[in-house]
Amino acid sequence: MNFNPGDLYGVLPALLLAAGALVLLTSEVFLRPVEPDRRYQAWVAAAFAFAGLWASLAQLGDPAQPLFAGAAVSDGFAHIVAAVVCAALFLSCIVAFSYLESLRATRGEFYALALFSASGMCLLAQATDLVVIFISLEVMSLAVYALCAYLRRGKRPAEAAFKYFILGSFASAIFLYGAAFAFGASGSTRLADLAATVRSGSATTLVYASAALLAAGFAFKVAAVPFHMWVPDVYDGAPAPVTGFMAAGVKAAAFATLVRILVSGYGEGGRWRGLIVALAYLTMLVGNLLAVPQRSVKRMLAYSSIAHAGYLLVAVAAMGTSAPRADAAGALLFYLASYGATVIGAFAVVAIIERKLALSGLGDDLSSWAGLSEKHPALAAAMSLFMISLAGVPPTAGFMAKLTVFRSAIEADLVPLAIFGVITSVAGLYYYLRVVVYVYMVPEAKADAVQGGRLLSAGLAIAGCALIVLWMGVLPGSFAALAQSGAAVFGR
Amino acid sequence: MAEAVLFYLFAAGVLAGGSQVVLRRNPIYGAVSLVGCFFFLAGIYVLLSAHLIAILQVLVYAGAVMVLFVFVIMLLNLKEEELGELRFTFWKVVGLVAVLATAAVIAWRALGPAYPSTGPARDNAILLAAEGFGGVKAVGRTLYLAAVLPFELTSLLLLVAIVAAVVVAKGKI
């Protein structure tokens, strides 16, 4: 049980991201306290995020192996999640650059915290020990809480961050309680030992209580109903680039860990499936219903994020059956990647609009989107593409992702759940297309163009997201193959 | 036998202290109850043969951390009227009933069979405890060898917490 330095290679993406954060924090010390000096930071952060992406993709072909005496694992599933997180961070850094520059809010801590939280996410995807999961979860969450409170202009951001912090701590406590029960049942914090206890069939009540509590803790992080109360306020109050990163990164890491705990820890028997199925029904229904009356695009996207958590839970539920588990895991990974690309793009457009609103002191309302197509046809087209992808219309990534998830649910004998998912996503068309209607068909009340320069970098990020969304929608083959290779660790 | 009596004594102390932390309106009383709770918890650690953890619990938590807590509470200097009114709402009652019911079910169904007072599991635990268990050396070996990843991650967590606190405490950006 000695320390093996080779294990550090297995957590290379997380190490790279943490190193990037340290470089940014240290470099800040040597700077004059003026704004233009700090422009390099977004690009340094993006470079480290890209390095993390490269490292996780480079490790993809390696055989799965346990690290640090079984506390973590280096396998395809974790590498794909790490790649999604790093790509999300890369795009978010570029979006944040123009956003923070125009609001004169560039500080080193912003990118450092984003890098720290991404390193927590990468470790979360690799962790196979409840203690490591808890600490990585806190690394990720603490950094994200602070990012939400980063821009405190007006009342809403502070309220959002505080709400997120209090409720998030509560969810962490619930997770910890479940972890204590799991330790009580199995005498170990390793998921493998927990699986052995579950297989032996002793201490059943304790096992079920721990499974329910651990799932509840992560249901909060993935924004599943009834643990969704924080989502609209936090998504609305946080700066738009942060919201995009949260929606893509936190969701990917939390879903990966939820799957890891349920399948690797409580896999045998799959008695947890009923719980996840119930959560999926509730989440799809409530998320889509509450999104309908929203006038603020950010709040609408928040409820849409809840609804998408429901579709992802369908894939998780499909992993609890005897049907080929790897298919469902592959569908989950594909969905996480496509949702990440779409939502970061959508929030990048929101960031441009929000910046205009912040500079002119207006509130976020659909009417501020009216007539966007006349002044900025490219932005309007991109936003429409992202909305169509979120709604799940071909030929976009969202359609292919929903298709694979529902197909895996049908293979797993969850036909009613798949039908319910299709019906709710059709209902979702209404509120997604309403944005498109405002962008293209509603004339603008009074003319004021999007102010401020530096649209170029945000535009690049939006173009990148749009490219990925179209690519995954039209030619999903290579992405699906990648997701399947990552999902192979869950066997059969 | 004496062990069981001590355990129930300490457990009752932890529960009483912990519930006072939540129920007391004045934060200073809450902080002092928390100190008591920590001391009883240290007693339970001693019963588990975790001597080092028990001492650290008293030194670090009941000592250093609590002093900081009390400082912060004193600096905030909350007035009685700022604490707001104590109200019983429907949902609070529902929450209380849910908590009590969950605790009862867990205590009744789960805890008994999971923590046997006799049998091989307990003998095994006593056997393990003989080998310098709970001392500085054993804890150190566990911390730096078996649990090296969570140990190093904790340092990352503390750094993130410091940076996050600076960001939040800084003036408005």
Side-chain angles (χ1 to χ4, degrees), chain A residues 173-339:
Chain A
I174 291 177
F175 171 84
L176 212 53
Y177 199 30
F181 279 169
F183 180 75
S186 67
S188 159
T189 53
R190 299 273 196 271
L191 290 181
D193 297 335
L194 184 59
T197 309
V198 174
R199 217 175 296 130
S200 75
S202 59
T204 45
T205 311
L206 211 54
V207 167
Y208 292 144
S210 68
L213 288 168
L214 292 177
F218 272 94
F220 173 88
K221 292 288 168 200
V222 304
V225 178
F227 306 95
H228 67 288
M229 301 296 183
W230 58 277
V231 182
D233 286 338
V234 173
Y235 275 40
D236 190 23
V242 172
T243 318
F245 178 56
M246 260 168 63
V250 174
K251 221 175 211 108
F255 262 107
T257 321
L258 182 68
V259 165
R260 186 85 78 186
I261 291 175
L262 289 179
V263 176
S264 307
Y266 298 90
E268 303 292 321
R271 296 279 294 267
W272 46 267
R273 195 183 67 163
L275 193 73
I276 300 295
V277 169
L279 277 180
Y281 271 120
L282 262 180
T283 309
M284 286 191 288
L285 179 70
V286 174
N288 279 306
L289 272 187
L290 291 183
V292 172
Q294 301 304 323
R295 294 275 313 168
S296 149
V297 174
K298 261 178 128 181
R299 287 185 90 84
M300 184 278 279
L301 283 171
Y303 284 107
S304 128
S305 143
I306 298 174
H308 282 277
Y311 303 131
L312 285 157
L313 282 171
V314 172
V316 178
M319 293 182 76
T321 58
S322 50
R325 211 179 250 163
D327 286 0
L332 181 85
L333 288 175
F334 189 86
Y335 201 112
L336 285 173
S338 79
Y339 178 69

Side-chain angles (χ1 to χ4, degrees), chain A residues 80-123:
Chain A
I80 300 257
V81 173
V84 171
V85 166
C86 290
L89 178 66
F90 177 73
L91 291 168
S92 299
C93 283
I94 300 176
V95 176
F97 171 71
S98 61
Y99 182 82
L100 293 179
E101 274 290 310
S102 61
L103 293 179
R104 306 207 168 285
T106 309
R107 303 279 186 283
E109 296 94 338
F110 181 87
Y111 298 105
L113 281 171
L115 284 163
F116 274 135
S117 74
S119 87
M121 290 168 195
C122 291
L123 285 164

Side-chain angles (χ1 to χ4, degrees), chain A residues 1-3 22 25 68 72 105 107 109 113 116 119 123 131-132 135-136 138-139 142-143 146 149-153 181 184 190 205-206, chain B residues 105-106 109-111 114-115 141 144-146 148-151 153-154 156-157 159-161 163-173:
Chain A
M1 207 184 268
N2 279 325
F3 173 66
L22 294 179
L25 284 177
F68 300 104
R107 303 279 186 283
E109 296 94 338
L113 281 171
F116 274 135
S119 87
L123 285 164
V131 177
V132 179
I135 299 175
S136 317
E138 286 304 292
V139 170
L142 272 181
Y150 180 75
L151 272 180
R152 289 188 303 280
R153 300 179 180 174
F181 279 169
R190 299 273 196 271
T205 311
L206 211 54
Chain B
V105 167
I106 288 167
R109 289 293 301 276
L111 295 184
Y115 302 110
R141 287 191 71 83
Y144 291 109
L145 293 176
V148 64
L149 181 63
F151 178 72
L153 276 182
T154 310
L156 184 65
L157 177 61
L159 181 62
V160 173
V163 177
V166 169
V167 166
V168 174
K170 237 177 172 173
K172 279 186 186 172
I173 297 174

